[in-house]
Structures are given as structure tokens and as C-alpha cells.
Amino acid sequence: MGPIVKKILAGLFLLLIVGSSVLVAIQRQRTIGLEEDPSKFHEALYYSKLYGGLVQCKLCPNLCILAPGEYGICKARKNINGKLYSLVYGKIAAAHLDPIEKKPFFHVLPGAQAFSIATTGCNIQCLFCQNWEISQAFPFDVPTRSASPKQVVQEALASGARAIAFTYSEPVISYEYVLDIAKLAKQAGLKTLMVSNGYIEQKPLKRLLKYIDAFKVDFKGFDEKFYTRLTAGHLQPVLETMKTIHQSGVWLEIVTLLVTGQNDSDRQIRGLADWIKTNLGDDVPLHFSRFYPQYKLLNVPPTPPETVIRARDIAMQEGLKYVYTGNIDYPPGEITFCPESGEKVIVRRGMFTIYNGLVNGACSDGEKIPGIWD
Ligand code: SF4
């Protein structure tokens, strides 16, 4: 290589270093500078003040320790002058009217609509996230609109929805907002639904459960290695969350997205079904859903439909009574059968209930089907 070429390469390298430093500085200025007026934000509920202006968030198992100016892993909380603030309180990044079956809740008010809202942010980072545009964003990275808890409840009532669902991104990290909305929603006669990864500390969870009717846990896989490698979270706290929800009497449904070759082995499926039966009982609905390549997991092929059907078969062999399939064309996986008589009690197609044969929460033989019914 000649000396001129070397000089050109060295110059380009220098330019690259300087350029990236400037970009980092701009980004840092942006993330620290824009959010520093604490009067614009809502103080967080669960945190401790440490020494030297440090704070420790105690909302989720990440237990972030943050110096002044720093953000939590969730990108939704920030230490401003030695206090922890929620940056997403009152800032809606998505709002839609969805069939309740889309959440999916299969044992809650079949055919009802749920007013579904999300802020930005998430406390784990699934490589296969289906909503990464908002879940992995800062609140100032995407368009948001302001809405007080009262306005959200009014909008939900005006839409004709029978429930408010906290969904799309991770509602745990907008805890204070969710709590305030849920309290008002209950007073207004609306059901409240959490669609969550279940990654939350026990104390805030127990407080929230008093105002939640149904909780859907996105359970990532019955395998700690899967959690750490593909989600940056941990298995045990989610198992604890599911036990606490069940013990509280709040309705629980569990969904697992089967990612090809990652969390879909017979051992993992059997382990999950066995754990549910032992710890929660055999009538907690379990949904298996098909993965499509998303976000950072574009090199993994979609889950074969046979894998999803096999998972359902295994979970039913293990003794679970209500096991469903999603994202595949498999009608039996969308039907609620009476476990005693085999009668088709609720039939769904796509995201819609097309037949509901429940009478007073029971099949025609009088066998009770658990859930939240009319
Ligand atoms: S909620 Fe956010 S800031 Fe708090 S511990 Fe979890 S990731 Fe960290």
C-alpha cells in the first residue's frame, strides 16, 4: 500500500471517529437536555434515594441504579436532580379499538371491544419484539399525544368499549399512569386488562392487581437461557408474577410466542404446561402463537404451524383444559371446548367470536367454564 493511500485511509478513519463522536454528543445532548424540567413529569412511585443523587428504581426486577440525568433500561424513567420521574405519564403513543380476542383474552367478555392504549418503552429487549417501534423507543422518539387518565376513560366510554387494555408496549413501565387510569376505569364500570411481560416487582404488582380485572402474561419460554439470550430478562420473576396474579383472584391467561428452534422443544412445552398445572391449576388458559421474523430476529424462519399444533397437543396431554393456537389457520385451536362433554362452547375465527353458547358461564350441561363472562 503506497503512502498516499495510507494517508487517505488515515484521514477517512479520523473523519469517521470525529463524525461518530459528534453524533453521540448530539444524541446525548438530546436525551439529557430535553427532559430536565421535572415539573413536566410525574414522580415515580417505587424508588429509593441513594447517596450522591443516585436513585434506585424498584418497579421491575432490573432495579436500575441511576445517576442524575440517566435513564432506566426501559427508557421511560429518568433521574432528574436526584428524584425518579416517569417520562411517559399521560403520553399515548398508540390507541386503537380492538376485539378483546386480539389481546388475546379468550375467557373475558367474548365479542367485546377493548380500548387499547400504549406509551413507549419496555423493561426487556426481546430480539423478536413485534412492537419494537414503540417498545424500544424513548417517548420523544415517536409521535405521542397527551391524555389525562380522565380523558382516557372518557374516550374509552365514548368508543363503546367495555374494557381498557394496557397493551402493545410494556404497561408495567408506565405504572403510575396505568394505576390512575385503572382506578377511574373501574369507577366508570369498565373492565381493566393488562397485556404484559409480567416483569414487575411484587410490591407494585400487588397494589396494581386491586384495580385490574384480567392479566395476560406474555411468557417468553420455559427456559432461563432463552430469557437471558433473547429477551435480556429472567424467568423466575415472571413465574412469581403469575403465581401472585393467580393467588389474587385476578383472571390470568398466558401466551407464549413459539420462536423456531428457540423455545419450542417438547421439553420446554411440557415443562411449562406442568408448571402451570402444578402452580396455577389446569384451567388457566394457555395460548401458543406462531412467530414471524421481526426486529432483530430476521434470520429465524417463521414457526411451522405443525409446531404450534404440537405444542397445544402436548399441553393438553399434560392436563391443561384450555389450550389455544394463534397466528395459524387451525380452527380447533380457537374453540373453547367443554372439558367434560367436549361441546363447542365458544367458537372464534381470526380475532372474532362467531358463536357463544355460554349460559350463565356454563355449557349446555351446566358445566362451569372459568372466566369473566356477562
Ligand atoms: S422500570 Fe425501568 S427504570 Fe425501573 S427498574 Fe425497570 S427498567 Fe429500570
Side-chain angles (χ1 to χ4, degrees), residues 265-370:
S265 71
D266 287 11
R267 180 186 58 80
Q268 288 160 317
I269 305 296
R270 219 173 278 289
L272 171 60
D274 183 52
W275 185 90
I276 292 173
K277 193 176 168 194
T278 306
N279 293 277
L280 311 176
D282 57 9
D283 57 6
V284 170
L286 173 61
H287 305 245
F288 290 110
S289 190
R290 185 187 192 197
F291 158 86
Y292 286 96
Q294 281 281 341
Y295 191 38
K296 295 183 179 175
L297 219 54
L298 298 173
N299 55 336
V300 174
T303 319
E306 310 79 61
T307 302
V308 184
I309 296 167
R310 171 177 55 81
R312 176 176 179 265
D313 291 345
I314 291 172
M316 292 181 82
Q317 284 159 17
E318 288 298 310
L320 297 189
K321 291 178 179 166
Y322 307 102
V323 190
Y324 301 104
T325 57
N327 282 350
I328 62 169
D329 186 16
Y330 182 61
E334 296 180 279
I335 297 172
T336 299
F337 294 95
C338 172
E340 296 303 318
S341 64
E343 176 190 337
K344 292 178 183 176
V345 188
I346 306 172
V347 181
R348 306 166 192 85
R349 229 25 210 132
M351 284 179 255
F352 301 96
T353 292
I354 55 174
Y355 168 75
N356 183 353
L358 277 173
V359 180
N360 296 326
C363 74
S364 61
D365 288 346
E367 197 66 40
K368 287 281 178 199
I369 308 291

Side-chain angles (χ1 to χ4, degrees), residues 57 59-60 62-64 66 72-74 77 123 173:
C57 180
L59 178 57
C60 92
N62 287 328
L63 297 172
C64 297
L66 306 171
I73 290 170
C74 58
R77 283 163 192 267
N123 49 1
I173 57 91

